Amino acid sequence: MTFQFDVYKPLTEESAISLLKELHFFAENEHVTCREIGDGNLNLVFQMSTQGSTKKWILKQALPYAKVVGESWPLTLKRAKIESDALLQFAKFTPHLVPEVLYSNETLALTIMEDLSHLSIARTGLIKGESYPNLGKDIGTFLAHILFKTSDLGLSPTEKKEKAQQFSNPELCKITEDLVFTDPFFDHDTNDFEPELSEKVEQLWKEDELKLEVAKLKRLFLTNGDALIHGDLHTGSIFASEHETKIIDPEFAFYGPFGFDLGHFIANLLFNALRRPQAQTELFGFIYDTRETFSSVFTSLWKEDKNNPFLQVNGYLAYTLQTIWQDALGFAGCEMIRRTIGLAHVADLDTIEESELRIRTKETALDIGKSLILNRAEIKTVQDLHDFYIENNEFLGNNVRTV
Ligand code: SR1
Ligand code: MG
């Protein structure tokens, strides 16, 4: 058997098995089952196992176009290398929070990694009401490590600039620049929303005060190369169980603003809170845990550093943490708006079956998103965030416990 390693070709279930046999992940005579299970917007994902599942692997391969749209939207294969490099980088700091990468091949645009099928995608699990007591703490730990250690706080200026070059990811950044920060705020043909939302959306497109704040946030995204960020940290990019959390899919990774990932994670917890008002206290608890753990781990890393004299300056740490939080809320607002009326939606909202409830929930998501963008400077704590959430959520009323 000879697998062609020097030419990119999208794999099939059969050729994926051949490749893994050739790479000795399976023996030549072993009976291997393979299923393409990719349900995301962009890639092929093959799950392979032997009978009895003694060996199980995941092979992820980038397609040269965005699967969610079709071949008319070409997309760089380089993102596969960005993804495997980012996973390897994250594993240096928090190996327990990412899948183990066993092999990657830039030409074939693929990565072979540990199978995580004993866990659930957090979005799916949260919709079903699964309990993830460690989720907030784990995401807080992950973000504190990657943000501190890949930024100028943790690297020399030269090392940081080299890493920023390694993770230059203009094509995937452009997707975010368009789909998160631009298209939803204008009448653009990538937008996607129910006719019942038209009036509200058209009103949103006229709001200059809002668009000015979005322009500022977009500029942060374009220019603030603070640290290596995941770039797409929604709850579909996280595997979870009661005991474990694994962050996957960092193909959008690049040197971006400190608050971006935190904002996306918060927004996606808020979608779930809108979907499941009865779980609101638990979901705000996750946001609280994320922020508390992030602040405490980031602070410990900051205090350990004895080389940078500015880190001892009174007020600098507090300023940094507050800026990250405030920017995160603005990014969360953009994510809430784009996932409601832009190109790629979230199941938390789209699968609300009863149509009037779905529309009202989406309207609320838009109101909360707007409020986060406009009021981010006033929302200092998770309690403030909760208060804003309640204020914008008429049909929940105030009948909810505080965090
Ligand atoms: C064309 S890609 C659409 C979205 O899917 C990814 O998960 C990112 O969120 C991107 O914006
Ligand atoms: Mg993804």
Side-chain angles (χ1 to χ4, degrees):
M1 175 187 320
T2 42
F3 188 91
Q4 229 188 328
F5 281 90
D6 54 350
V7 186
Y8 172 84
K9 208 169 156 201
L11 293 170
T12 61
E13 290 174 351
E14 292 67 39
S15 61
I17 295 176
S18 304
L19 172 63
L20 265 77
K21 286 193 170 178
E22 186 120 348
L23 292 169
H24 304 294
F25 282 87
F26 299 111
E28 192 52 54
N29 58 358
E30 232 163 355
H31 177 74
V32 177
T33 316
C34 178
R35 275 190 315 137
E36 202 282 307
I37 54 165
D39 62 352
N41 295 322
L42 302 176
N43 305 294
L44 296 173
V45 180
F46 297 94
Q47 183 184 50
M48 279 172 269
S49 58
T50 49
Q51 252 170 354
S53 296
T54 45
K55 286 185 230 159
K56 282 202 233 173
W57 307 111
I58 288 291
L59 185 161
K60 179 168 175 182
Q61 186 183 39
L63 285 167
Y65 55 86
K67 202 167 82 177
V68 66
V69 178
E71 297 190 27
S72 61
W73 188 335
L75 212 52
T76 177
L77 293 174
K78 192 189 159 204
R79 66 188 196 274
K81 171 142 178 70
I82 293 272
E83 173 164 342
S84 64
D85 283 358
L87 287 173
L88 292 168
Q89 183 69 53
F90 299 156
K92 289 190 182 154
F93 314 131
T94 51
H96 62 299
L97 297 176
V98 287
E100 188 185 355
V101 168
L102 296 130
Y103 173 85
S104 59
N105 185 310
E106 193 175 352
T107 310
L108 303 177
L110 61 82
T111 305
I112 299 173
M113 38 194 154
E114 163 190 10
D115 176 86
L116 298 172
S117 57
H118 61 292
L119 308 176
S120 310
I121 286 289
R123 185 186 309 288
T124 315
L126 287 171
I127 290 173
K128 284 191 202 149
E130 283 178 8
S131 157
Y132 302 135
N134 299 322
L135 183 64
K137 289 177 213 132
D138 284 344
I139 298 299
T141 302
F142 172 76
L143 289 177
H145 280 277
I146 68 160
L147 296 187
F148 190 94
K149 291 179 176 169
T150 66
S151 71
D152 285 301
L153 298 166
L155 295 173
S156 75
T158 309
E159 285 169 328
K160 188 239 174 165
K161 288 175 183 73
E162 279 166 9
K163 285 240 172 285
Q165 254 179 4
Q166 179 192 352
F167 286 99
S168 166
N169 198 359
E171 294 90 344
L172 279 276
C173 286
K174 175 79 166 62
I175 294 180
T176 305
E177 288 148 21
D178 292 344
L179 296 187
V180 178
F181 292 107
T182 311
D183 300 358
F185 301 94
F186 298 87
D187 184 2
H188 199 282
D189 57 13
T190 57
N191 290 327
D192 174 19
F193 50 85
E194 288 98 329
E196 293 90 326
L197 289 172
S198 296
E199 203 181 316
K200 197 168 179 76
V201 173
E202 278 161 26
Q203 180 54 37
L204 185 145
W205 290 339
K206 290 189 193 131
E207 291 182 34
D208 265 359
E209 198 195 340
L210 175 72
K211 283 155 87 169
L212 171 61
E213 295 310 312
V214 174
K216 293 179 194 170
L217 290 160
K218 181 174 178 181
R219 187 160 76 185
L220 272 184
F221 183 81
L222 286 163
T223 59
N224 260 44
D226 288 324
L228 179 64
I229 64 169
H230 179 285
D232 197 25
L233 191 59
H234 54 81
T235 44
S237 298
I238 301 168
F239 269 112
S241 73
E242 213 179 315
H243 309 290
E244 271 182 281
T245 308
K246 297 274 186 185
I247 290 117
I248 60 165
D249 269 6
E251 65 200 308
F252 284 76
F254 81 113
Y255 262 72
F258 276 145
F260 189 78
D261 288 339
L262 179 60
H264 272 222
F265 181 59
I266 290 173
N268 282 274
L269 292 177
L270 294 180
F271 285 130
N272 195 259
L274 286 171
R275 161 72 179 236
R276 296 192 304 140
Q278 72 281 9
Q280 199 186 127
T281 305
E282 185 189 354
L283 290 154
F284 273 86
F286 292 159
I287 298 176
Y288 181 84
D289 289 348
T290 309
R291 176 172 150 145
E292 285 303 297
T293 308
F294 175 78
S295 301
S296 107
V297 177
F298 195 86
T299 299
S300 307
L301 294 167
W302 184 288
K303 291 198 167 152
E304 276 164 22
D305 187 300
K306 301 288 173 234
N307 299 321
N308 180 348
F310 276 108
L311 300 199
Q312 317 306 320
V313 171
N314 254 340
Y316 186 29
L317 172 61
Y319 162 82
T320 305
L321 289 172
Q322 193 54 40
T323 311
I324 294 173
W325 173 249
Q326 183 179 318
D327 294 346
L329 295 176
F331 293 132
C334 296
E335 169 75 352
M336 291 198 78
I337 292 173
R338 66 77 61 126
R339 297 278 183 202
T340 307
I341 61 172
L343 177 76
H345 287 194
V346 288
D348 311 60
L349 303 188
D350 274 4
T351 63
I352 299 175
E353 271 179 34
E354 210 267 287
S355 71
E356 201 187 320
L357 178 61
R358 187 177 62 254
I359 297 299
R360 278 164 65 200
T361 309
K362 289 190 176 187
E363 285 172 348
T364 306
L366 292 175
D367 288 339
I368 293 171
K370 259 167 46 178
S371 180
L372 290 179
I373 294 168
L374 292 171
N375 300 302
R376 63 193 189 281
E378 278 80 63
I379 308 174
K380 307 268 187 221
T381 63
V382 178
Q383 184 64 55
D384 294 343
L385 175 63
H386 186 258
D387 295 344
F388 266 84
Y389 177 87
I390 296 293
E391 247 172 60
N392 283 286
N393 198 340
E394 281 169 20
F395 61 92
L396 254 185
N398 291 323
N399 185 21
V400 172
R401 278 184 290 149
T402 52
V403 288

